[in-house]
């Protein structure tokens, strides 16, 4: 156990985590030349493209230091705010963390919030300034920031370029010198923390774990503490680029278990594995049942693809246990699913994966957070859907989820960022100058206010500099209304939204304006109205088409003209019919991206 | 009965709005009639054994050709097909090219209808369009054509220009009707991709005219034509009785035509062909006896859609009895079902088994026809 080091990498998006991980794999000869491809750890195509890690990964490296063989387990963490719980479980499995900071960018919010998580778990932090080869690198300034932030000695900060490889070998040495070996007793009852799971179409669910105490062997009868499910360990082993089976794994090590589990929801990240005989007394701290907080309707663009959509969601859930869905129907959009996501990025990822991996195009309705409606009878109803809101007469009050948000920005944008957060009903909790020109703000904000356009606005106000991270922080009472959109008097259920009363007028007006741009002129006038209950709060009109003619139709080129009309008709067939009005698919999507 | 179209792709100067295929004037002009003769002999079977009812020289700028060259091509046609004194033979001319010799020469070659590209009787508008002539030359060219024995004269006008008004349009129209012309083509300006105007619109260098002015200009056209005894027999075409363009009408009535020259289109009821839009590819294809063209075989649904989109542009409309005879029930019934809402609002009418778009709704005909055509799911 003294020769094991478990560590993770904490870094903001684009600060070079994946490139550095690749370097470490190279240096330890973990990959053969043939296996080596850029950014090995980001295995999903989407991850490579977005430059973020969606799923956790783990890989074991061997390294000889001063004549002794060491096993280094790198546990990669998801790189986005929506997955902070998964990050916390990965961190709980490590004894050390590399804190990577981009020399051209400095410390960002996400780095800080993950750093706090790591410090809470008593991880040894090894600060690394990356991208020192870049012209815009401000190595000394960034070192100042790091010293200020964690109070370390300046000469303990490593300077590297993951791109050129400069300084990277020293990282491995420092990990061995500075990170403590894992503690634990291999003879004690088994206690292993699940920090991730993946789906393999031949093997079922593969759970990744770190053993805190005890030993796990092939063939062991095990149970998962929180779900209470029991299994036989068909195979256990360590994680290289491929799975490497082993007869047994001892305390302190990181590995995988295959036990014929078919459904991802049986394997909950944060759960504890123990033996059925001689179980451990208690589970490892920190388990939480992660619930989706953002909900939206997903409808196939082509109504015939409903069953395909269901099958695809089933498959997606195999390696994404946090995705939930149940059938829902809409007058405007037909049959679809109400899906629950961890956050907006999670929603985008699901949408993208449906398109790329399953070739299904979906329409997403306006997302909303999960509300708790207290009825006059004293019941609590969870509402995920505008149509699920009980009649006003039976509502006593409604609660909405709130978050604790951290924003780090250059001080010149402080005013703008403050205004944005306050406009979004935020309450400033703390304000710390990290350096003379960088400030960290802590806000308490309603989650519904960041679901929509918060992130884009934050980026634009701060010219892309501000970074943002959040954690859920309870519920608070909310004044909520249901806002409906009507086209020529017909309500479009797919465009209804639950919204704070203060925003309803502005939002309704903007919805109407946006729809006026997106609904093509037709042979009659179209009235677009926003309403709360029976009260109309905004109105726009799409004027009837009065000139729609091809002036010239000769030279004999009838083909071009015919193809144009046929193409238009095809486009119309893809439109949704609301009463007599034809609404293009884009209208349903674009309302999600309003200024 | 069939028509022959000869595309003459030579222009001294390209007009800023025009998207018909053209190249500059060049040494290629002298060889052109010979290539056309050769193409005719290669492709004559496309309309085999049909009487030629119309011949049309369009452009480009056909008036860049010498009368003797026109004569040569007409003789080539008459060697392969029967042409009578009743055959409508039209040439498009540019007012700037017109001279007595030219007109006399064309007339002697057999041309009996002349279509003059006037576009406007207002100098500013002509300048804006990038035309070579001015308003005075425009008027002069019509008078010259009349004085040189042409009875069947058509002129082209363009409305809906960004710098035009109701009054400027009225001026051009009244000037046109005051001359002794038999036919008038009036096009609303369109901004085509690949033209200077198309680019200027995209770059916001020019702005489209307000829709309500377009509509008033269209209504004015209808109003004045009625007063002066012209019939609007197609969205953009008006004529005195018996003087409609028989050639252009064949496009809207499903009559066969053979198109010669680069970018020319052909049709024979079952097939459409279009020649390469590259002079060199076209010419090489002819020289090597392998015409450079693409084609499309028309299936029933395509024929049906084409019938709708051509016939409904005209005053004659679409005869439902023959439609039911020629096409399967499902197509016709689906189309009639799509027509119902428009019949209710009067945007379509059925009189004597004929489906028509009333003239006051012709300005929204694309949307109406677009609803009636049938496509596969």
């Amino acid at each position: 156990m003294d020769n094991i080091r478990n560590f993770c990498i904490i870094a903001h998006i684009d600060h070079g985590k994946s490139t550095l991980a690749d370097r470490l794999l190279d240096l330890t000869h973990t990959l053969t030349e043939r296996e080596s491809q850029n950014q090995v750890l980001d295995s999903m195509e989407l991850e490579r493209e977005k430059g973020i890690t969606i799923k956790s990964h783990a890989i074991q490296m061997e390294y000889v230091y001063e004549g002794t063989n060491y096993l280094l387990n790198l546990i990669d963490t998801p790189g986005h705010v929506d997955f902070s719980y998964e990050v916390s479980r990965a961190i709980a499995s490590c004894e050390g963390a590399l804190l990577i900071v981009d020399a051209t960018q400095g410390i960002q919010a996400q780095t800080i919030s993950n750093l706090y998580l790591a410090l809470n778990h008593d991880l040894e932090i090894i600060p690394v300034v990356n991208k020192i080869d870049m012209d815009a690198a401000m190595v000394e300034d960034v070192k100042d920031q790091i010293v200020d932030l964690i109070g370390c000695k300046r000469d303990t900060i490593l300077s590297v370029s993951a791109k050129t490889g400069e300084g990277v070998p020293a990282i491995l040495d420092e990990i061995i010198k500075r990170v403590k070996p894992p503690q634990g007793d291999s003879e004690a009852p088994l206690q292993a923390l699940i920090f991730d799971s993946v789906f393999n179409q031949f093997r079922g669910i593969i759970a990744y774990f770190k053993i805190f105490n005890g030993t796990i062997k092939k063939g062991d009868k095990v149970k998962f503490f929180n779900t209470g499910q029991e299994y036989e360990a068909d195979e256990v082993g360590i994680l290289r680029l491929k799975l490497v089976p082993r007869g047994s794994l001892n305390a302190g090590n990181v590995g995988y278990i295959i036990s014929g589990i078919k459904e991802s929801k049986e394997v909950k990240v944060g759960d504890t594995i123990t033996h059925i005989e001689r179980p451990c007394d208690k589970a490892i701290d920190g388990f939480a049942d992660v619930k989706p907080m953002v909900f939206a309707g997903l409808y196939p663009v082509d109504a015939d693809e409903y069953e395909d959509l269901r099958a695809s969601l089933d498959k997606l859930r195999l390696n994404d246990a946090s995705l939930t869905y149940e059938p829902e129907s809409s007058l405007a959009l037909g049959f679809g699913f109400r899906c629950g996501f961890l956050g907006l990025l999670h929603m985008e990822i699901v949408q993208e994966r449906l398109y790329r991996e399953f070739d299904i195009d979906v329409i997403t309705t306006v997302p909303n957070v999960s509300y708790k409606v207290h009825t006059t009878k004293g019941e609590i109803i969870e509402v995920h859907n505008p149509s699920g809101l009980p009649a006003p007469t039976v509502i006593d009050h409604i609660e909405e989820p709130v978050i604790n948000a951290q924003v780090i920005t250059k001080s010149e944008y402080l005013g703008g960022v403050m205004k944005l957060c306050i406009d979004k009903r935020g309450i400033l909790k703390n304000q710390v100058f990290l350096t003379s020109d960088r400030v960290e703000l802590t806000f308490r904000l309603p989650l519904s206010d960041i679901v929509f356009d918060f992130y884009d606005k934050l980026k634009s106000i701060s010219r892309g500099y501000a970074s943002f991270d959040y954690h859920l922080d309870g519920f608070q009472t909310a004044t909520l209304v249901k806002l409906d959109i009507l086209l020529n008097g017909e309500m479009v259920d797919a465009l209804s939204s639950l919204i704070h009363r203060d925003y309803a007028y502005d939002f309704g007006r903007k919805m109407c304006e946006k729809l006026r741009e997106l609904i093509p002129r037709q042979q009659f006038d179209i009235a677009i109205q926003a309403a709360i209950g029976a009260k109309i709060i905004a109105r726009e009109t799409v004027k009837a088409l009065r000139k729609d003619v091809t002036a010239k139709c000769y030279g004999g080129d009838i083909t071009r003209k015919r193809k144009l009309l046929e193409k238009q008709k095809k486009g119309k067939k893809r439109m949704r019919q609301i009463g007599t009005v034809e609404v293009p698919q884009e209208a349903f999507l674009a309302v999600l991206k309003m200024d | 009965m069939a028509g022959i179209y000869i595309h003459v792709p030579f222009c001294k100067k390209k007009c800023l709005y025009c998207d018909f295929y053209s190249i500059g004037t060049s040494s290629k002009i002298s060889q052109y009639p010979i290539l056309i003769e050769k193409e005719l002999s290669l492709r004559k079977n496309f309309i085999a054994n049909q009487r030629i009812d119309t011949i049309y020289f369009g452009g480009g700028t056909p008036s860049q050709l010498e009368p003797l060259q026109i004569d040569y091509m007409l003789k080539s046609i008459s060697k392969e097909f029967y042409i009578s004194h009743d055959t409508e033979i039209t040439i498009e001319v540019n007012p700037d090219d017109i001279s007595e010799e030219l007109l006399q020469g064309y007339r002697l070659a057999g041309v009996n209808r002349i279509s003059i590209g006037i576009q406007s009787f207002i100098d500013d508008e002509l300048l804006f369009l990038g035309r070579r002539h001015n308003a005075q030359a425009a008027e002069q060219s019509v008078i010259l054509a009349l004085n040189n024995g042409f009875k069947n004269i058509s002129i082209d006008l363009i409305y809906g220009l960004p710098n035009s008004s109701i009054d400027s349009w009225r001026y051009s129209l009244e000037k046109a009707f005051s001359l002794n012309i038999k036919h008038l083509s009036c096009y609303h300006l369109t901004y085509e991709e690949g033209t200077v105007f198309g680019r200027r619109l995209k770059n916001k260098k020019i702005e489209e005219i307000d829709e309500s002015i377009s509509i008033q200009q269209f209504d004015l056209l209808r109003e004045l034509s009625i007063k002066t005894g012209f019939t609007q027999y197609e969205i953009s075409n008006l004529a005195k009785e018996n003087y409609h363009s028989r050639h252009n009408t064949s496009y809207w009535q499903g009559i066969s035509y053979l198109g010669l020259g680069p970018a020319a289109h052909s049709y024979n009821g079952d097939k459409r062909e279009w020649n390469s839009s590259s002079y060199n590819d076209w010419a090489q294809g002819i020289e090597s006896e392998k015409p450079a063209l693409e084609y499309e075989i028309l299936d029933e649904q395509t024929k049906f859609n084409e019938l709708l989109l051509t016939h409904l542009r005209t005053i004659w409309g679409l005869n439902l009895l023959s439609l039911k005879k020629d096409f399967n029930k499902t197509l016709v019934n689906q189309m009639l079902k799509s027509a119902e809402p428009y019949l209710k609002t009067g945007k379509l009418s059925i009189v004597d088994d004929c489906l028509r778009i009333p003239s006051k709704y012709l300005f929204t005909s694309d949307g109406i026809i677009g609803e009636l055509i049938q496509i596969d799911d």
Side-chain angles (χ1 to χ4, degrees):
Chain A
M1 201 152 46
D2 286 347
N3 296 346
I4 295 176
R5 298 290 183 275
N6 299 318
F7 70 102
C8 59
I9 300 177
I10 294 171
H12 189 71
I13 296 168
D14 284 343
H15 281 197
K17 180 168 75 167
S18 298
T19 314
L20 181 66
D22 289 347
R23 283 283 164 194
L24 298 179
L25 298 181
D26 280 347
L27 280 171
T28 54
H29 312 291
T30 308
L31 310 175
T32 61
E33 279 295 319
R34 196 166 50 82
E35 288 165 334
S36 182
Q37 48 176 329
N38 278 342
Q39 310 209 337
V40 171
L41 287 188
D42 289 352
S43 57
M44 269 197 269
E45 185 192 352
L46 193 58
E47 293 184 327
R48 281 164 197 277
E49 218 162 275
K50 292 209 168 197
I52 55 165
T53 313
I54 298 161
K55 297 289 292 177
S56 312
H57 300 266
I59 195 157
Q60 189 177 81
M61 297 171 269
E62 286 180 36
Y63 185 64
V64 180
Y65 176 68
E66 293 184 346
T68 312
N69 247 319
Y70 287 88
L71 291 179
L72 306 180
N73 289 308
L74 165 59
I75 297 174
D76 195 19
T77 54
H80 189 272
V81 289
D82 286 352
F83 303 92
S84 54
Y85 173 71
E86 277 81 353
V87 175
S88 81
R89 295 304 84 200
I91 282 173
S93 305
C94 299
E95 286 77 40
L98 299 176
L99 173 70
I100 311 290
V101 183
D102 185 328
T104 67
Q105 304 271 318
I107 290 169
Q108 305 288 317
Q110 208 188 335
T111 331
I112 295 199
S113 67
N114 288 346
L115 174 68
Y116 290 158
L117 271 176
L119 289 171
N120 281 342
H121 284 90
D122 292 327
L123 266 53
E124 176 69 32
I125 308 292
I126 301 176
V128 178
V129 178
N130 189 22
K131 303 196 188 177
I132 57 170
D133 60 305
M134 305 270 282
D135 288 341
M138 316 166 287
V139 180
E140 296 312 312
D141 290 358
V142 172
K143 281 187 175 176
D144 287 342
Q145 290 176 15
I146 294 172
V147 170
D148 283 351
L149 186 67
I150 58 177
C152 63
K153 290 211 173 71
R154 199 182 176 84
D155 59 7
T156 61
I157 302 172
L158 306 178
S159 300
V160 308
S161 164
K163 199 169 117 200
T164 65
E166 186 186 348
V168 178
I171 295 178
L172 290 168
D173 295 350
E174 293 299 309
I175 289 170
I176 288 163
K177 280 193 280 185
R178 285 155 70 173
V179 176
K180 283 181 291 215
Q183 305 293 305
D185 179 358
S186 291
E187 305 305 320
L190 178 65
Q191 205 181 24
L193 172 68
I194 298 173
F195 61 83
D196 195 16
S197 69
V198 296
F199 170 75
N200 178 296
Q201 72 178 114
F202 304 110
R203 315 293 308 266
I205 306 292
I206 304 171
Y208 297 172
F209 57 78
K210 190 255 178 124
I211 305 177
F212 279 54
N213 284 299
T215 300
I216 188 166
K217 291 195 205 56
K218 181 177 162 54
D220 280 355
K221 302 261 191 272
V222 296
K223 79 168 175 188
F224 289 4
F225 214 96
N226 286 291
T227 63
Q229 299 274 4
E230 299 185 352
Y231 308 98
E232 184 174 321
D234 296 337
E235 182 178 314
V236 295
I238 57 160
L239 298 147
R240 290 290 168 83
L241 196 65
K242 297 194 180 86
L243 305 175
V244 183
R246 288 283 147 95
S248 71
L249 290 174
N250 292 337
N253 214 341
V254 170
Y256 72 91
I257 176 171
I258 296 173
S259 51
I261 303 172
K262 294 277 180 288
E263 293 220 27
S264 64
K265 62 186 173 192
E266 285 182 43
V267 181
K268 294 197 186 290
V269 169
D271 205 347
T272 303
I273 307 173
T274 190
H275 284 125
I276 295 173
E277 301 206 357
R278 208 163 83 99
C280 56
D281 299 341
K282 61 182 186 72
I284 295 159
D285 282 348
F287 173 77
D289 212 350
V290 183
K291 280 182 157 180
M293 291 312 291
V294 174
F295 292 82
L298 257 53
Y299 291 84
V301 164
D302 183 347
D304 296 342
E305 288 188 336
Y306 174 72
E307 283 304 326
D308 297 336
L309 176 59
R310 179 202 297 278
S312 309
L313 287 169
D314 283 344
K315 282 196 187 129
L316 272 189
R317 190 161 60 180
L318 288 175
N319 58 12
D320 185 352
S322 41
L323 170 70
T324 66
Y325 53 93
E326 55 187 43
E328 165 181 273
S329 68
S330 145
L331 285 174
L333 300 177
F335 291 103
F337 295 93
R338 193 75 190 167
C339 298
F341 310 95
L342 296 175
L344 259 203
L345 180 92
H346 188 207
M347 179 168 108
E348 268 178 45
I349 289 167
V350 167
Q351 221 173 315
E352 280 282 311
R353 289 187 65 190
L354 283 172
Y355 181 66
R356 289 182 193 210
E357 295 169 32
F358 302 96
D359 197 23
I360 291 183
D361 235 337
V362 293
I363 296 176
T364 314
T365 63
V366 182
N368 58 261
V369 302
S370 173
Y371 293 98
K372 281 184 184 171
V373 177
H374 295 253
T375 66
T376 46
K377 286 184 186 158
E379 298 160 317
I380 300 174
I381 303 171
E382 277 198 25
V383 173
H384 299 157
N385 190 333
S387 65
L389 193 70
T393 49
V394 298
I395 298 175
D396 183 67
H397 68 281
I398 302 173
E399 285 188 307
E400 63 176 343
V402 283
I403 57 164
N404 206 27
Q406 256 138 2
V407 179
I408 294 182
T409 176
K410 273 191 165 179
S411 43
E412 57 184 298
Y413 307 119
L414 179 62
V417 172
M418 286 266 229
K419 181 172 185 312
L420 171 69
C421 291
I422 290 165
D423 284 350
K424 295 282 184 187
R425 297 189 287 146
I427 296 166
L428 183 64
K429 307 292 272 189
N430 200 6
Q431 176 179 344
V432 182
F433 275 84
L434 299 172
T435 60
S436 59
D437 69 340
R438 290 171 70 79
V439 61
E440 179 193 358
L441 302 169
T442 308
F443 271 93
R444 191 174 152 86
L445 276 161
L447 178 63
S448 65
D449 283 76
I450 65 149
V451 159
F452 224 52
D453 53 2
F454 178 81
Y455 200 63
D456 290 345
K457 278 199 172 153
L458 181 68
K459 284 284 170 198
S460 85
I461 284 171
S462 65
R463 312 244 161 120
Y465 279 113
S467 58
F468 165 73
D469 194 25
Y470 73 86
H471 299 281
L472 287 170
D473 190 23
F475 282 78
Q476 71 181 21
T477 306
T479 329
L480 210 62
V481 293
K482 178 167 172 264
L483 180 75
D484 296 320
I485 298 293
L486 294 86
L487 295 179
N488 277 355
E490 297 245 7
M491 194 183 95
V492 189
D493 55 3
L495 291 175
S496 293
S497 51
L498 291 171
I499 189 164
H500 195 268
R501 178 174 288 281
D502 293 353
Y503 299 149
Y505 282 78
D506 190 43
F507 186 70
R509 187 175 48 78
K510 284 184 180 158
M511 282 275 262
C512 290
E513 283 169 7
K514 190 82 185 178
L515 287 168
R516 192 198 56 206
E517 287 168 28
L518 292 168
I519 296 176
R521 295 170 66 188
Q522 291 164 36
Q523 300 268 345
F524 43 82
D525 283 357
I526 301 163
I528 304 167
Q529 293 168 308
I532 299 171
K535 191 177 172 203
I536 304 296
I537 60 168
R539 184 196 158 111
E540 294 283 339
T541 307
V542 177
K543 298 295 268 177
L545 203 54
R546 294 166 64 207
K547 173 179 169 287
D548 181 17
V549 65
T550 309
K552 272 185 208 182
C553 194
Y554 69 77
D557 188 358
I558 305 297
T559 309
R560 185 170 77 155
K561 171 80 186 142
R562 191 197 79 237
K563 287 189 170 158
L564 190 71
L565 287 178
E566 286 175 348
K567 195 175 146 208
Q568 280 168 0
K569 178 125 182 174
K570 277 206 179 92
K572 275 188 152 189
K573 278 208 167 175
R574 276 170 64 94
M575 288 195 200
R576 301 288 168 152
Q577 190 90 25
I578 312 287
T580 52
V581 183
E582 278 155 345
V583 184
Q585 314 264 14
E586 304 86 70
F588 294 98
L589 298 174
V591 293
L592 302 178
K593 310 233 176 212
M594 287 192 302
D595 304 329
Chain B
M1 199 165 80
I4 290 179
Y5 174 79
I6 295 140
H7 190 69
V8 184
F10 308 106
C11 286
K12 246 187 189 168
K13 183 182 171 205
K14 182 103 186 157
C15 300
L16 305 177
Y17 55 91
C18 177
D19 75 328
F20 283 105
Y21 177 71
S22 68
I23 55 177
T25 54
S26 71
S27 54
K28 292 186 173 105
I29 295 184
S30 60
Q31 288 302 306
Y32 200 67
I34 297 163
L35 283 167
I36 291 294
E37 180 182 39
K38 195 151 188 197
E39 183 178 12
L40 180 71
S41 73
L42 286 171
R43 298 182 58 224
K44 62 189 176 193
N45 285 338
F46 192 78
I47 49 166
N49 302 321
Q50 298 202 55
R51 189 167 61 85
I52 297 305
D53 189 50
T54 65
I55 297 171
Y56 196 100
F57 293 92
T61 314
S63 52
Q64 286 295 307
L65 296 186
E66 297 297 331
L68 279 176
Q69 295 182 293
I70 299 295
D71 184 60
Y72 185 91
M73 289 185 276
L74 288 174
K75 287 212 166 79
S76 309
I77 295 171
S78 65
K79 278 180 208 153
E80 305 281 2
F81 292 97
Y82 175 71
I83 302 178
S84 76
H85 67 278
D86 192 34
T87 301
E88 177 192 280
I89 303 176
T90 308
I91 188 166
E92 290 178 348
V93 296
N94 192 313
D96 195 45
D97 291 335
I98 281 188
S99 66
E100 284 203 13
E101 303 98 280
L102 197 79
L103 290 162
Q104 296 280 352
Y106 287 160
R107 199 167 54 78
L108 282 175
V111 174
N112 53 28
R113 184 172 180 272
I114 196 153
S115 169
I116 309 174
I118 301 279
Q119 317 309 354
S120 171
F121 285 106
I122 293 173
D123 282 340
D124 284 351
E125 292 183 359
L126 289 167
L127 207 62
F128 174 77
L129 290 167
R131 299 291 301 188
R132 286 189 270 141
H133 62 278
N134 60 20
Q136 200 199 345
E139 188 173 348
Q140 219 34 60
S141 68
V142 180
I143 294 165
L144 209 58
L146 284 165
N147 292 343
N148 283 280
F150 282 98
K151 288 196 184 71
N152 191 349
I153 297 173
S154 173
I155 69 172
D156 287 354
L157 293 177
I158 298 185
Y159 65 106
L161 304 179
N163 59 349
S164 72
S165 64
I166 316 287
D167 287 339
S168 71
W169 179 232
R170 183 189 294 276
Y171 178 84
S172 280
L173 277 179
E174 281 176 347
K175 178 65 82 180
F177 289 129
S178 75
L179 299 165
N180 189 12
I181 57 168
K182 297 290 191 289
H183 187 275
L184 179 62
S185 296
C186 295
Y187 304 109
H188 190 287
L189 178 67
T190 52
Y191 297 82
E192 304 294 342
E193 220 175 292
T195 65
V196 174
F197 274 10
R199 270 197 302 285
R200 286 185 186 168
L201 183 73
K202 211 165 151 190
N203 301 334
K204 307 211 156 96
K205 295 261 162 58
I206 43 179
E207 213 178 304
E208 273 185 274
I209 193 168
D210 190 273
E211 188 184 71
S212 64
I213 298 178
S214 289
I215 292 160
Q216 289 177 61
Q217 290 182 336
F218 182 72
D219 288 343
L220 182 68
L221 171 66
R222 293 197 304 124
E223 182 195 318
L224 290 184
S225 65
I226 293 165
K227 275 190 195 159
T228 50
F230 278 76
T231 304
Q232 187 178 19
Y233 67 97
E234 194 261 356
I235 292 168
S236 306
N237 286 280
L238 305 96
K240 286 265 174 82
E241 199 176 350
N242 294 328
Y243 280 99
H244 63 273
S245 163
R246 275 152 53 197
H247 184 81
N248 285 346
T249 300
S250 68
Y251 296 140
W252 305 311
Q253 298 221 313
I255 293 164
S256 301
Y257 49 90
L258 176 65
L260 305 173
H265 285 246
S266 307
Y267 167 76
N268 69 0
D270 294 313
K271 192 178 181 188
R272 290 195 183 275
E273 294 185 344
W274 50 97
N275 287 351
S276 167
S277 299
S278 149
Y279 187 91
N280 290 339
D281 290 354
W282 168 78
Q284 269 167 29
I286 301 306
E287 303 275 20
S288 63
E289 303 192 355
K290 287 186 196 104
L293 53 79
E294 289 177 73
Y295 67 89
E296 180 185 44
I297 307 282
L298 307 175
D299 60 19
E300 186 181 9
Q301 186 171 288
T302 305
K303 285 181 186 172
F304 183 80
N305 289 345
E306 290 191 348
L307 204 69
L308 289 172
L309 84 89
T310 50
H311 283 61
L312 289 178
R313 291 179 68 88
T314 68
I315 193 171
W316 304 291
L318 185 62
N319 188 306
L320 293 175
L321 293 180
S322 57
L323 192 74
K324 282 172 188 162
K325 207 173 71 202
D326 295 340
F327 291 93
N328 83 56
K329 257 192 193 147
T330 326
L331 274 177
V332 178
N333 288 341
Q334 277 175 348
M335 186 277 287
L336 288 173
K337 194 156 180 283
S338 312
E340 269 169 27
Y342 296 100
L343 288 164
K344 269 187 201 141
T345 53
K347 291 183 176 180
L348 279 171
S349 73
I350 298 179
V351 179
D352 297 335
D353 291 308
C354 209
L355 184 68
R356 288 190 189 87
I357 301 174
S359 72
K360 67 172 170 175
Y361 293 118
L362 280 175
F363 227 47
T364 55
S365 58
D366 277 10
I368 300 169
I369 296 168
E371 278 298 320
L372 302 186
I373 61 167
Q374 300 298 315
I375 57 165
D376 296 325
D377 287 322

